[in-house]
């Protein structure tokens, strides 16, 4: 099954500064959820856009065949970490068709907020 | 009225571990909301994808003609329950055109968070 | 400007039972947000689907030319109110092209949760 | 890369009245997130629709080439501020193809709620 698109855009991006609650599950984070239903591994190239400087990337990631990968923007390290408290956006390009959904968990205040949306296939 | 698609994908999936509040309404859960506006019952086959093992399924469900069905991933039992605290994704295939929306209620902390998005028609 | 579609579906629907906070703004509610950018009034016919009985409707509403209308499902009265604590879904048909977004505010617990998604154009 | 559409609609809009928490990051707000992946600056013309009066606009904004711009509706001043506690909607027209996502942070109660959705390309 070849499901999805090779390119997706996410215009929203923000890593909240600070968290309440314990453990990585409750830490404030922003996630790129990718589904690869196909029979070949999908190589991702992620470009991160900012409001006041040139884009950074590509960040590389792999989503194996018939797998999902929920990648936290907070964990990206190479070529450089994404700073917290800064507006960004992202473009995801894949060697195979994938489906992309974007989620944030914000636990800066005493009880978490969550949000999600389908990314934009383009 | 034949509204929707036969196949939908949801790249995000996660059953939060733990809840605050009483009763099933406030328990942390993740829901597949399906609308069948047609005149024939829709048989669903749901495949669940993981990050580190082969997909599981199909899970079977029925959405009768002119009905909506809000199915909690937490309640899936056959072929096996979906573990809590684990990343997953899903593919929904239906015998009739349907519309699919994905919702999570997370009550791990003292006040709930909710999120929703249209699934991806494919 | 003729922007949007004549028909939209929302597979999710649920009026939370109970609220914290004061005033209608903080009461738990679910909203159908409609934008009519055109030069003619749009007449809406809303059909509400349930999990265990026949659909109810049409509910009638009007979105004047060049106006938005944020209609709470909680306020629908004719042909009958939508019960709280019950799963539903909806189909919105309009005499003119419109854009539809679906939002819920849930204040059952001590701090509100909110969610939103584009409806499905069909 | 010419990614996106020249016109997007957002049927939901509401600036919550009041906030808890300190600083602009935690103030209740509603944001228009725009991504311009192209090589030319994108000039935006935003029209704001209300439920009971004529649309207001255009509000002007610029998204430089290869940049994202997260614009708070709360900060719009010209031709006039958007009142808090009032339903609105918006239409975004751009000189270059862009991608648009809509986000709200609501901190009226003791812990924030957040929501997001892709806007409607039209």
């Amino acid at each position: 099954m070849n499901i999805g698109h090779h390119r997706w855009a996410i215009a929203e991006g923000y890593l909240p500064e600070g968290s309440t609650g314990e453990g990585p599950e409750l830490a404030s984070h922003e996630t790129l959820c990718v589904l690869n239903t196909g029979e070949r591994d999908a190589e991702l190239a992620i470009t991160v856009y900012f409001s006041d400087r040139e884009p950074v990337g590509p960040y590389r990631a792999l989503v194996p065949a018939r797998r999902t990968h929920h990648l936290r923007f907070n964990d990206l390290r190479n070529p450089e970490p994404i700073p917290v408290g800064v507006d960004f956006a992202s473009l995801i390009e894949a060697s195979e068709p994938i489906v992309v959904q974007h989620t944030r968990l914000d636990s800066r205040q005493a009880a978490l907020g969550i949000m999600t949306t389908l990314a934009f296939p383009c």
Side-chain angles (χ1 to χ4, degrees), chain A residues 79-101:
Chain A
E80 61 182 73
I82 299 179
V84 298
V86 161
D87 295 334
F88 67 93
S90 57
L91 182 69
I92 298 94
E93 296 169 283
S95 61
E96 301 292 325
I98 56 172
V99 178
V100 177
Q101 188 171 336

Side-chain angles (χ1 to χ4, degrees), chain A residues 57-91:
Chain A
Y59 295 87
R60 304 283 181 187
L62 190 84
V63 187
R66 302 179 306 282
R67 294 292 184 275
T68 186
H69 184 34
H70 296 193
L71 185 158
R72 289 190 183 198
F73 284 101
N74 311 53
D75 294 339
L76 293 177
R77 285 292 171 271
N78 188 348
E80 61 182 73
I82 299 179
V84 298
V86 161
D87 295 334
F88 67 93
S90 57
L91 182 69

Side-chain angles (χ1 to χ4, degrees), chain A residues 19-29 31 72 105-107 112 114:
Chain A
S19 305
T20 58
E22 286 179 29
E25 293 82 5
L26 292 174
S28 291
H29 63 268
T31 305
R72 289 190 183 198
L105 184 150
D106 184 335
S107 66
L112 58 81
I114 49 174

Side-chain angles (χ1 to χ4, degrees), chain A residues 2 4 19 34 63 65 69-70 73 75 85 102 104 108-109 111 115:
Chain A
N2 260 2
S19 305
V34 182
V63 187
H69 184 34
H70 296 193
F73 284 101
D75 294 339
H102 163 239
R104 179 185 301 161
R108 287 176 291 179
Q109 293 191 328
M115 66 181 204

Side-chain angles (χ1 to χ4, degrees), chain A residues 10-49:
Chain A
I10 304 173
E12 168 67 289
Y14 184 83
L15 304 179
E17 196 163 5
S19 305
T20 58
E22 286 179 29
E25 293 82 5
L26 292 174
S28 291
H29 63 268
E30 186 141 334
T31 305
L32 185 70
C33 299
V34 182
L35 172 58
N36 176 9
T37 63
E39 296 302 316
R40 281 195 297 270
D41 296 355
E43 297 170 12
L44 307 188
I46 304 164
T47 305
V48 177
Y49 292 82

